[in-house]
Amino acid sequence: MYILGIETSCDETAAAILDVSAKSGVKVLSNVISSQIEIHQKYGGVVPEIAAREHVLHIIPVINESLVKAGIKASQIKAIAVTAGPGLVTSLLAGVETAKTLAYAWKKPLVPVNHIEGHIHANFINLKKPIKFPAIVLTVSGGHTNLVLLKGRLKYQIIGETRDDAAGEAFDKGAKMMAIGYPGGPIVSKYALEAKPSEIKLPRPMINSAGFDFSFSGLKTALLYTLKKDKDWPKKIPEYCLELQEAIVETLVSKTIKAAKKYNVKTVMLSGGAAANRHLREVLQKTVQEKLSGADFNMPNLAYTTDNAAMIAMAGYYRFINKKTAAWNKIKMDCNLDLK
Ligand code: KG4
Ligand code: ZN
């Protein structure tokens, strides 16, 4: 069964074709991403109006390329999955309107997918063994940080979320303060590799608080004031990057393990753009193995951590076989779409 996925919730225009069959599992036939990073770099963050215009320019060529690379015709597609939210309103509109038009013209069912649900499903693309439920997923991206309990297939319960900034945003804003580039996550983690031992100490926000919510804006402020007090900070960028990464990773891992224990989960998963962070991947995996005996750990291949359409097609497949489709003229784009 061929599924076309379309993703335009932020600054990546993406389309992918998955071939999913009960017998041979999931094959990613194409995963095309037109990134706008270079365009937004000079502003130090995504400019929504520019992002929307870029999506409009690239969406059709990107979808065409996904079909050509997959070696299939539009008529062979079984369903079209598209990110319906959450995300930037004008960015989402470009993908949803394109998907609606194609669903009408090609007479294909349309499947609205929640962006977070997409990130979660990146875990299901290259499975080595079946996911056991209940499972918990830590999703860390530029716009979201949350812990979702998966009681079964498509059964989501958010048990913790950020009260302010997302973890990816903390990386991005930290990098902006130190003027080391955009997006901050990969740059911070690269600098951290060169760090020497230091006395720099940043807070681990809400690490011991009750519940599973996160907060990263205080960490950002703490970094700002620490840098202001330290005239030599430009000489210590790797050390600041290491401590920022440590503070974020320690907080994320601690809360995830606590939640996994409380809900007695059988699997712990990781997803989202910041799931590309090597330190987070290693520490979470190791801690699950050490502290949660018997629980499995799963994380997506690096290619499916940051925004892509293969993850949207994967979630779309499960929604499609569970009859969660929408008529082309009934699908609703919602920038605050709930996960359900
Ligand atoms: O999921 P994503 O592509 O977009 C959203 O849905 O927001 O996530 C982008 C975020 C950015 O904040 C970026 O800095 C972060 O993912 N990121 C990383 C790494 N690669 C991307 N954060 C930490 N370490 C990385 N290696
Ligand atoms: Zn994302």
Side-chain angles (χ1 to χ4, degrees):
M1 182 191 295
Y2 299 121
I3 309 283
L4 165 64
I6 299 174
E7 153 65 39
T8 65
S9 67
C10 190
D11 60 340
E12 322 278 3
T13 318
I17 306 281
L18 289 200
D19 180 7
V20 192
S21 81
K23 246 191 191 169
S24 47
V26 181
K27 281 193 199 128
V28 180
L29 300 185
S30 62
N31 186 30
V32 182
I33 302 171
S34 167
S35 172
Q36 304 174 10
I37 283 181
E38 277 181 29
I39 297 167
H40 300 287
Q41 231 154 23
K42 59 175 176 284
Y43 306 103
V46 177
V47 183
E49 188 55 37
I50 297 176
R53 286 169 194 270
E54 288 296 312
H55 286 312
V56 171
L57 280 179
H58 293 107
I59 186 77
I60 297 296
V62 163
I63 292 171
N64 274 337
E65 192 180 334
S66 75
L67 287 165
V68 171
K69 281 202 169 142
I72 66 160
K73 292 193 203 92
S75 57
Q76 292 172 272
I77 292 168
K78 194 82 183 169
I80 302 172
V82 63
T83 306
L88 300 172
V89 185
T90 44
S91 288
L92 287 164
L93 262 177
V96 170
E97 290 306 312
T98 306
K100 274 164 74 172
T101 310
L102 294 180
Y104 174 75
W106 293 345
K107 298 186 176 56
K108 303 288 176 190
L110 194 52
V111 192
V113 171
N114 180 297
H115 184 73
I116 304 299
E117 174 178 45
H119 275 303
I120 291 172
H121 278 81
N123 275 282
F124 294 83
I125 295 177
N126 300 103
L127 276 185
K128 287 178 193 82
K129 56 179 180 175
I131 298 288
K132 291 185 211 142
F133 297 106
I136 201 163
V137 199
L138 169 68
T139 301
V140 272
S141 74
H144 308 272
T145 299
N146 55 35
L147 278 166
V148 174
L149 183 67
L150 266 176
K151 291 184 193 150
R153 177 77 57 203
L154 305 180
K155 290 194 177 130
Y156 313 107
Q157 183 189 341
I158 296 181
I159 56 166
E161 57 196 337
T162 184
R163 296 192 180 170
D164 38 59
D165 292 357
E169 209 176 338
F171 276 111
D172 294 340
K173 288 186 176 159
K176 199 170 176 181
M177 277 175 215
M178 293 183 272
I180 53 175
Y182 170 86
I187 301 169
V188 168
S189 64
K190 216 167 160 197
Y191 268 106
L193 294 172
E194 302 160 19
K196 295 187 209 95
S198 83
E199 306 271 286
I200 299 164
K201 197 75 193 153
L202 294 170
R204 272 66 178 150
M206 291 179 72
I207 197 162
N208 294 316
S209 66
F212 304 109
D213 279 351
F214 301 95
S215 160
F216 288 102
S217 81
L219 174 60
K220 184 182 67 184
T221 315
L223 174 64
L224 180 70
Y225 285 107
T226 315
L227 290 173
K228 271 191 177 167
K229 276 192 225 146
D230 182 359
K231 282 199 189 74
D232 286 335
W233 74 262
K235 291 185 200 141
K236 298 183 219 160
I237 287 175
E239 290 71 32
Y240 275 102
C241 286
L242 178 69
E243 179 57 12
L244 177 63
Q245 178 174 269
E246 287 289 338
I248 296 170
V249 170
E250 217 178 296
T251 310
L252 293 171
V253 171
S254 163
K255 289 255 162 176
T256 307
I257 298 294
K258 242 192 249 177
K261 281 184 182 162
K262 174 165 178 198
Y263 290 94
N264 216 357
V265 302
K266 297 198 172 110
T267 312
V268 176
M269 295 189 266
L270 177 63
S271 74
N277 185 276
R278 215 194 310 161
H279 187 57
L280 174 60
R281 294 169 79 85
E282 286 169 6
V283 177
L284 186 57
Q285 176 159 33
K286 194 163 159 267
T287 318
V288 169
Q289 284 160 354
E290 283 172 6
K291 302 222 166 138
L292 300 171
S293 64
D296 291 338
F297 177 73
N298 200 79
M299 59 187 164
N301 287 355
L302 281 180
Y304 309 122
T305 52
T306 45
D307 288 351
N308 64 88
M311 67 185 197
I312 302 302
M314 188 73 260
Y317 164 77
Y318 288 112
R319 289 189 83 88
F320 176 68
I321 58 170
N322 283 284
K323 302 193 169 44
K324 290 178 184 281
T325 55
W328 72 268
N329 54 352
K330 292 272 160 55
I331 184 173
K332 283 200 185 88
M333 180 279 296
D334 180 354
C335 57
N336 296 312
L337 188 66
D338 285 336
L339 184 64
K340 55 180 189 242

